[in-house]
Amino acid sequence: MIERCLGAYRCRRIQRALRHLKVTVLCLVLTVVVLRGTIGAGKFGTPEQDLDEIRQHFQTSRKRAEPHRVLEEIQTGGGGGGGGDSVDGGGGGSNNYETFDINKIFVDEGEEEKPDPNKPYTLGPKISDWDEQRSDWLSKNPSFPNFIGPNKPRVLLVTGSAPKPCENPVGDHYLLKSIKNKIDYCRLHGIEIFYNMALLDAEMAGFWAKLPLIRKLLLSHPEIEFLWWMDSDAMFTDMAFELPWERYKDYNLVMHGWNEMVYDDKNWIGLNTGSFLLRNNQWALDLLDTWAPMGPKGKIREEAGKVLTRELKGRPVFEADDQSAMVYLLATQRDTWGNKVYLENGYYLHGYWGILVDRYEEMIENYHPGLGDHRWPLVTHFVGCKPCGKFGDYPVERCLKQMDRAFNFGDNQILQIYGFTHKSLASRKVKRVRNETSNPLEMKDELGLLHPAFKAVKVQQTNQV
Amino acid sequence: MIERCLGAYRCRRIQRALRHLKVTVLCLVLTVVVLRGTIGAGKFGTPEQDLDEIRQHFQTSRKRAEPHRVLEEIQTGGGGGGGGDSVDGGGGGSNNYETFDINKIFVDEGEEEKPDPNKPYTLGPKISDWDEQRSDWLSKNPSFPNFIGPNKPRVLLVTGSAPKPCENPVGDHYLLKSIKNKIDYCRLHGIEIFYNMALLDAEMAGFWAKLPLIRKLLLSHPEIEFLWWMDSDAMFTDMAFELPWERYKDYNLVMHGWNEMVYDDKNWIGLNTGSFLLRNNQWALDLLDTWAPMGPKGKIREEAGKVLTRELKGRPVFEADDQSAMVYLLATQRDTWGNKVYLENGYYLHGYWGILVDRYEEMIENYHPGLGDHRWPLVTHFVGCKPCGKFGDYPVERCLKQMDRAFNFGDNQILQIYGFTHKSLASRKVKRVRNETSNPLEMKDELGLLHPAFKAVKVQQTNQV
């Protein structure tokens, strides 16, 4: 039994390694062909540089340790779904685990119709009067107000994952835990959820897929005041923290980040696009139009990646990603956008898991939910972990173990409402922390999450245009 | 490459077969020991009969074709999570796919403290004044009304799955699709979601896990008027159908079923407990107390199963399940409960997949969403498919293929809102059905799901006690 099992496992390991190698080589060759095939050097760099950079790219691609967007994209052919890091891997490549049969039985008509290379990419028809269109709609539809309480905007949390099962089958279990976690936070805070599993625009596969999706949702839902994008590999770890909406009343885009790192250092991790708020207005549409052009996959994304790596501090060599593009956009066009962008670091709108997960016990010891910051982070984001992909930047065991801890850390705040808790942050099992009572309504949950005030305000609704 | 892969796959197959055999035999032995160990014959049957039934049970267990609750429970040791059919398998047994390592790294403290066998099982302390407690709370908390519009009760949809990854790794992908599908329906219909992943009561593992969970939620959320239980293997296939709440104003429990089949024939599939509505009142607590006693796992559930098989029409031999227990309860105590139970068959509150999935194209051809019945079923329930378990009653390929079709059938109604549709019911890929416009708000989605009236009423809220 045991040898068989280990044999099987080793066998799959080798097999997967071989598959990776094959795909990588194939991509290398293809990319070279494309570049060679091009007359001239395109608007960035020369073919000679290209080739060197590509070599360097594959040499450095497995060496890095710092948090960053990784390189599966180029190797798997792009995920879609728009779920950010943890999705990309799930989108492409073949799937030779237990799931092989559904991919066999699955009819998927051939390739998308190729876009015209002569037409520059756009997210859609230009819209320049969105603020008028929207305020007009809002005044005609008082039963769909964009504010559901004083300083409580109507928010749509948008996340998603690839349409296919994960390359690594256990990944889907973590996507499931991740959405359960978001369902809990959003139920408590009166936020609606849109979970995307469709690739709306093949050009924008992978971490760029969120752009066409976000534009579509803003234009379809004028009643939404703020759209909250959240990667599928980010989890809520403070269920009690309500965003400081008042603070953002004069801003259109809120991301976790630091002004100096973005505007002065042009550091590619000066902000994070794994969890951000975008207001539904004309400014947002204009920003998306400015943000998108580096996204189209293939040569454009490849070449743009070189510019970003050259211009941004600390960026490894790989194709253009949405986060680097945003840093570049803000650093080079601060006058145009800066005054409406709030880089938040007063709490963890995004929190890098590496510096948080080992401190959960300490937090439980010393603090309580509702703080949102280093004492009790609102979000723990598993940047660089690819539970759904074939490989990330960190050992999969560490990632999975820590994702379970983060989930349980957040889940304990939900369970305590009902008188339960996980036996430990490492345990899926739960135990009672209170005895049942015959007067359940006299029982108050410590965090007041059962009937929170910020949820009650849902009944007073107003239009603020 | 290919042999390696097939080799690995065959190897896993054999290994799994062996594991099943081992567990089955182990359980057989254990059960026999327990029965032998008992002084006397217990209140049902004699040890001799027991042993015969158990033999028969394992002989017949793989032969049946009709839809029914299957027997993994007894073999896997119970699921938890309360997700119904498709969850049970996920709960127990070891997991030797790619996921093996998380089970290795996972700390799970030993067994639960065994309950006192002399104390009869209860769901919790007796509560007899719930209606008073609740109406008192509602009058004190006008900002949490139990009705969010005229004849629009506040509803909590409750579903879930086991805390562990699925035995069959692709199962988690279908759990993910299933919750995405529920998120969509509930967003459109102003229904909140509670996704459970915890086993609150080890005694009630498997398809009985929903009982303690439901009781806990009713008592914790007096603002909820109706709790809607839905199995994880049921999907919404009519996104436009709003439940006829008015019809249920004098009823406390709504299940899909037929009076004759339940009350006259005592047919074990005369109703289905995979999707039902339960009103939050004293009557519901009393019903749960009456429903629960057959649930505790082990000898009680085993012996109760024999009673149910003996008393109910068409029931195969296996341990007591919640659905059979409900049929038995209603058939034997109609006077006590019947007048408040509505057996719905005017639309598919639960729809058996076997008679629906091959007709989707015909429905698209002739009808439209919003009908909810045989012309366009509200719910398609994959009874007897165990995508998360090790094996169900149907070939896994057929189940997965049809679950994908059901998901896409429902998802097309969401996608059309945004101008997209799946390339076919068998395709994960989507295509445009409308061109983008620069006046998005003048665009009406065919089904009127973008800003449905039944959602707009959320702003007028009233307390009806």
Side-chain angles (χ1 to χ4, degrees):
Chain A
M1 272 298 285
I2 288 132
E3 295 110 74
R4 277 173 179 284
C5 168
L6 286 177
Y9 180 64
R10 220 181 284 107
C11 167
R12 283 203 299 289
R13 269 304 247 299
I14 297 158
Q15 179 203 334
R16 222 171 329 131
L18 286 173
R19 202 160 58 244
H20 292 163
L21 190 64
K22 254 175 47 191
V23 183
T24 315
V25 172
L26 181 67
C27 292
L28 226 174
V29 174
L30 282 177
T31 326
V32 174
V33 170
V34 170
L35 294 173
R36 290 294 137 211
T38 328
I39 311 302
K43 46 185 184 321
F44 324 100
T46 73
E48 288 63 29
Q49 290 167 340
D50 297 343
L51 202 53
D52 295 336
E53 298 227 32
I54 292 165
R55 287 209 199 82
Q56 191 193 341
H57 162 127
F58 285 100
Q59 283 151 13
T60 57
S61 65
R62 309 297 311 139
K63 294 210 195 82
R64 281 163 288 84
E66 96 247 56
H68 67 281
R69 305 280 168 148
V70 287
L71 311 174
E72 267 79 303
E73 266 299 284
I74 194 173
Q75 289 154 4
T76 60
D85 278 3
S86 67
V87 162
D88 312 337
S94 72
N95 197 326
N96 279 47
Y97 307 105
E98 292 303 294
T99 59
F100 80 99
D101 44 10
I102 52 165
N103 288 320
K104 221 169 54 195
I105 63 178
F106 227 102
V107 181
D108 257 336
E109 296 77 5
E111 280 319 290
E112 292 75 21
E113 51 291 343
K114 285 268 158 291
D116 178 349
N118 305 322
K119 270 190 283 169
Y121 178 82
T122 68
L123 287 170
K126 181 80 189 136
I127 299 181
S128 26
D129 63 342
W130 178 239
D131 291 339
E132 294 66 29
Q133 287 193 45
R134 179 170 179 252
S135 59
D136 181 48
W137 187 94
L138 286 170
S139 55
K140 290 198 182 110
N141 295 271
S143 56
F144 292 95
N146 57 328
F147 278 77
I148 58 176
N151 298 319
K152 175 76 173 175
R154 187 191 292 265
V155 179
L156 179 67
L157 184 133
V158 182
T159 185
S161 56
K164 283 186 176 181
C166 291
E167 288 287 300
N168 174 358
V170 74
D172 285 294
H173 179 66
Y174 288 86
L175 290 174
L176 183 65
K177 282 184 148 179
S178 184
I179 187 59
K180 184 270 197 280
N181 166 273
K182 293 179 177 78
I183 289 171
D184 286 331
Y185 180 88
C186 291
R187 185 181 61 250
L188 293 181
H189 294 264
I191 294 174
E192 298 190 332
I193 300 178
F194 187 95
Y195 194 97
N196 181 59
M197 278 187 157
L199 178 55
L200 303 187
D201 183 341
E203 283 289 277
M204 299 290 267
F207 32 55
W208 287 93
K210 60 172 77 88
L211 271 67
L213 173 65
I214 288 171
R215 184 176 191 267
K216 171 60 77 177
L217 290 170
L218 293 178
L219 295 176
S220 305
H221 296 284
E223 76 276 15
I224 296 301
E225 181 64 19
F226 270 117
L227 186 149
W228 187 347
W229 170 266
M230 202 155 161
D231 282 355
S232 59
D233 59 356
M235 284 195 271
F236 285 101
T237 37
D238 189 339
M239 293 288 174
F241 186 81
E242 174 79 3
L243 294 198
W245 300 109
E246 171 71 14
R247 189 184 301 172
Y248 306 138
K249 67 180 190 312
D250 298 325
Y251 296 92
N252 296 331
L253 174 61
V254 182
M255 295 175 288
H256 197 271
W258 299 264
N259 288 322
E260 315 65 43
M261 280 181 80
V262 170
Y263 299 116
D264 307 341
D265 313 350
K266 298 188 184 177
N267 190 318
W268 87 295
I269 54 169
L271 56 78
N272 186 283
T273 51
S275 170
F276 63 85
L277 301 169
L278 184 61
R279 192 181 296 275
N280 189 356
N281 59 13
Q282 182 63 45
W283 186 96
L285 300 184
D286 297 339
L287 180 81
L288 290 171
D289 289 339
T290 315
W291 193 7
M294 286 184 170
K297 71 182 181 197
K299 189 150 190 316
I300 294 176
R301 197 184 289 184
E302 282 303 309
E303 298 294 348
K306 294 169 194 160
V307 179
L308 295 173
T309 298
R310 193 170 58 232
E311 299 296 325
L312 300 184
K313 180 176 175 186
R315 186 180 193 270
V317 176
F318 69 107
E319 61 172 9
D321 64 301
D322 61 313
Q323 176 169 304
S324 304
M326 176 57 70
V327 174
Y328 186 66
L329 189 160
L330 293 182
T332 53
Q333 305 177 29
R334 181 175 192 171
D335 299 346
T336 316
W337 309 103
N339 65 323
K340 289 294 182 182
V341 176
Y342 193 103
L343 295 181
E344 178 64 81
N345 45 56
Y347 64 93
Y348 282 118
L349 177 57
H350 137 92
Y352 170 53
W353 66 287
I355 59 170
L356 297 174
V357 294
D358 296 323
R359 295 185 38 241
Y360 288 148
E361 283 80 1
E362 173 202 329
M363 296 170 194
I364 294 167
E365 186 69 32
N366 302 310
Y367 304 108
H368 55 83
L371 300 167
D373 57 15
H374 64 283
R375 295 167 298 173
W376 204 286
L378 172 63
V379 172
T380 300
H381 184 191
F382 288 83
V383 182
C385 282
K386 284 208 177 300
C388 186
K390 287 177 295 185
F391 52 84
D393 307 337
Y394 303 93
V396 71
E397 285 77 9
R398 173 142 193 259
C399 283
L400 298 181
K401 182 177 183 197
Q402 296 302 336
M403 290 180 85
D404 276 310
R405 277 167 51 83
F407 175 85
N408 293 339
F409 183 75
D411 197 38
N412 277 342
Q413 298 158 48
I414 301 300
L415 290 173
Q416 66 82 28
I417 299 174
Y418 305 102
F420 290 86
T421 189
H422 285 272
K423 289 184 172 179
S424 80
L425 289 185
S427 173
R428 295 190 191 106
K429 290 191 181 163
V430 303
K431 64 180 182 192
R432 256 179 221 293
V433 289
R434 283 198 303 269
N435 284 332
E436 298 280 346
T437 157
S438 52
N439 299 79
L441 299 179
E442 289 168 11
M443 177 64 67
K444 284 275 153 284
D445 66 301
E446 293 150 25
L447 303 174
L449 288 177
L450 199 42
H451 300 99
F454 46 71
K455 202 180 163 193
V457 300
K458 278 179 83 176
V459 290
Q460 327 143 18
Q461 308 199 352
T462 53
N463 253 324
Q464 294 175 24
V465 184
Chain B
M1 272 299 287
I2 286 135
E3 295 110 73
R4 277 171 180 285
C5 166
L6 285 177
Y9 179 67
R10 217 180 284 110
C11 167
R12 284 202 300 290
R13 271 300 247 303
I14 295 161
Q15 177 202 342
R16 220 172 330 131
L18 287 173
R19 200 163 57 244
H20 293 162
L21 189 64
K22 255 177 43 191
V23 182
T24 315
V25 172
L26 180 68
C27 292
L28 228 171
V29 174
L30 281 177
T31 329
V32 174
V33 171
V34 169
L35 294 172
R36 289 295 137 210
T38 327
I39 310 305
K43 48 186 182 321
F44 325 102
T46 72
E48 287 64 26
Q49 290 167 339
D50 297 342
L51 203 53
D52 295 335
E53 300 227 33
I54 291 163
R55 285 207 201 81
Q56 191 193 342
H57 162 127
F58 285 99
Q59 283 150 13
T60 56
S61 65
R62 309 294 316 137
K63 294 209 195 84
R64 280 161 291 82
E66 96 249 51
H68 67 283
R69 304 283 170 144
V70 287
L71 312 175
E72 268 75 306
E73 265 301 284
I74 192 172
Q75 289 154 4
T76 62
D85 278 2
S86 68
V87 162
D88 310 339
S94 73
N95 198 325
N96 279 46
Y97 306 104
E98 290 304 293
T99 60
F100 81 100
D101 44 12
I102 51 162
N103 288 320
K104 219 170 53 193
I105 64 179
F106 227 103
V107 182
D108 257 338
E109 294 76 6
E111 282 318 290
E112 293 73 22
E113 50 293 343
K114 286 266 159 291
D116 179 348
N118 305 323
K119 271 191 281 165
Y121 177 83
T122 68
L123 289 170
K126 182 80 186 136
I127 298 182
S128 26
D129 62 343
W130 179 238
D131 291 340
E132 294 66 28
Q133 288 193 46
R134 178 169 178 253
S135 59
D136 181 47
W137 186 94
L138 286 170
S139 55
K140 290 199 184 106
N141 296 269
S143 57
F144 292 95
N146 57 329
F147 278 77
I148 57 175
N151 298 317
K152 175 76 173 175
R154 185 191 295 263
V155 179
L156 180 67
L157 184 131
V158 182
T159 185
S161 55
K164 282 187 177 180
C166 291
E167 289 286 303
N168 175 358
V170 74
D172 285 293
H173 179 67
Y174 288 86
L175 290 174
L176 184 64
K177 282 183 147 180
S178 184
I179 187 60
K180 183 267 198 283
N181 166 272
K182 293 179 177 81
I183 289 171
D184 285 331
Y185 180 87
C186 290
R187 184 181 62 250
L188 294 180
H189 294 265
I191 293 174
E192 298 190 332
I193 300 178
F194 187 95
Y195 195 97
N196 182 58
M197 278 188 156
L199 178 54
L200 302 186
D201 182 341
E203 282 289 278
M204 298 291 267
F207 32 56
W208 287 93
K210 60 172 78 88
L211 272 66
L213 174 65
I214 289 173
R215 183 177 192 266
K216 171 60 74 176
L217 290 170
L218 293 179
L219 295 176
S220 305
H221 296 284
E223 76 277 16
I224 295 300
E225 182 64 18
F226 270 117
L227 185 149
W228 186 346
W229 170 263
M230 204 157 162
D231 281 354
S232 60
D233 59 354
M235 284 195 271
F236 286 101
T237 38
D238 189 339
M239 293 289 173
F241 186 81
E242 173 79 5
L243 294 196
W245 300 109
E246 171 71 15
R247 190 185 300 172
Y248 307 138
K249 65 180 192 311
D250 299 326
Y251 296 91
N252 297 331
L253 174 62
V254 183
M255 295 174 288
H256 197 270
W258 299 265
N259 288 322
E260 316 65 42
M261 279 181 80
V262 170
Y263 299 117
D264 307 342
D265 312 351
K266 298 188 183 175
N267 189 318
W268 87 295
I269 55 168
L271 57 78
N272 185 283
T273 50
S275 170
F276 64 86
L277 301 169
L278 184 61
R279 192 181 295 274
N280 189 356
N281 60 14
Q282 182 64 45
W283 185 96
L285 299 184
D286 297 340
L287 180 82
L288 290 171
D289 289 340
T290 316
W291 194 7
M294 287 184 170
K297 72 183 182 195
K299 191 150 191 310
I300 293 176
R301 199 184 287 185
E302 283 302 309
E303 297 293 348
K306 295 170 193 159
V307 179
L308 295 172
T309 298
R310 191 168 62 231
E311 299 295 325
L312 300 183
K313 181 176 175 184
R315 186 181 194 271
V317 177
F318 69 107
E319 60 173 8
D321 64 302
D322 60 315
Q323 176 169 303
S324 305
M326 177 56 72
V327 174
Y328 186 66
L329 190 160
L330 293 181
T332 54
Q333 306 178 30
R334 181 176 193 170
D335 300 347
T336 315
W337 309 102
N339 64 324
K340 289 294 182 183
V341 176
Y342 192 103
L343 295 180
E344 179 63 79
N345 46 56
Y347 65 91
Y348 282 117
L349 177 58
H350 137 92
Y352 170 55
W353 66 287
I355 60 171
L356 297 174
V357 293
D358 298 323
R359 295 184 40 240
Y360 288 147
E361 281 81 1
E362 173 202 331
M363 296 171 194
I364 294 167
E365 185 71 33
N366 303 309
Y367 304 107
H368 56 82
L371 300 166
D373 57 14
H374 64 283
R375 294 168 298 174
W376 205 286
L378 172 64
V379 172
T380 299
H381 184 190
F382 288 83
V383 182
C385 281
K386 283 208 178 301
C388 186
K390 285 177 297 184
F391 51 83
D393 308 336
Y394 304 94
V396 71
E397 284 76 8
R398 172 140 196 262
C399 283
L400 298 181
K401 183 178 182 194
Q402 296 302 334
M403 290 181 85
D404 276 310
R405 277 167 53 79
F407 174 85
N408 292 340
F409 184 74
D411 197 39
N412 277 341
Q413 299 157 51
I414 301 300
L415 290 173
Q416 66 82 29
I417 299 174
Y418 306 101
F420 290 86
T421 189
H422 284 271
K423 288 182 172 179
S424 81
L425 289 185
S427 173
R428 294 188 192 110
K429 291 189 178 163
V430 302
K431 63 182 180 193
R432 254 179 222 294
V433 288
R434 281 197 307 269
N435 286 331
E436 298 282 346
T437 158
S438 51
N439 299 81
L441 298 179
E442 289 168 11
M443 178 65 68
K444 284 274 151 288
D445 66 301
E446 294 149 27
L447 303 175
L449 288 178
L450 199 41
H451 300 100
F454 46 71
K455 202 180 163 193
V457 299
K458 278 179 85 175
V459 290
Q460 326 144 21
Q461 309 201 349
T462 54
N463 253 325
Q464 293 175 23
V465 183

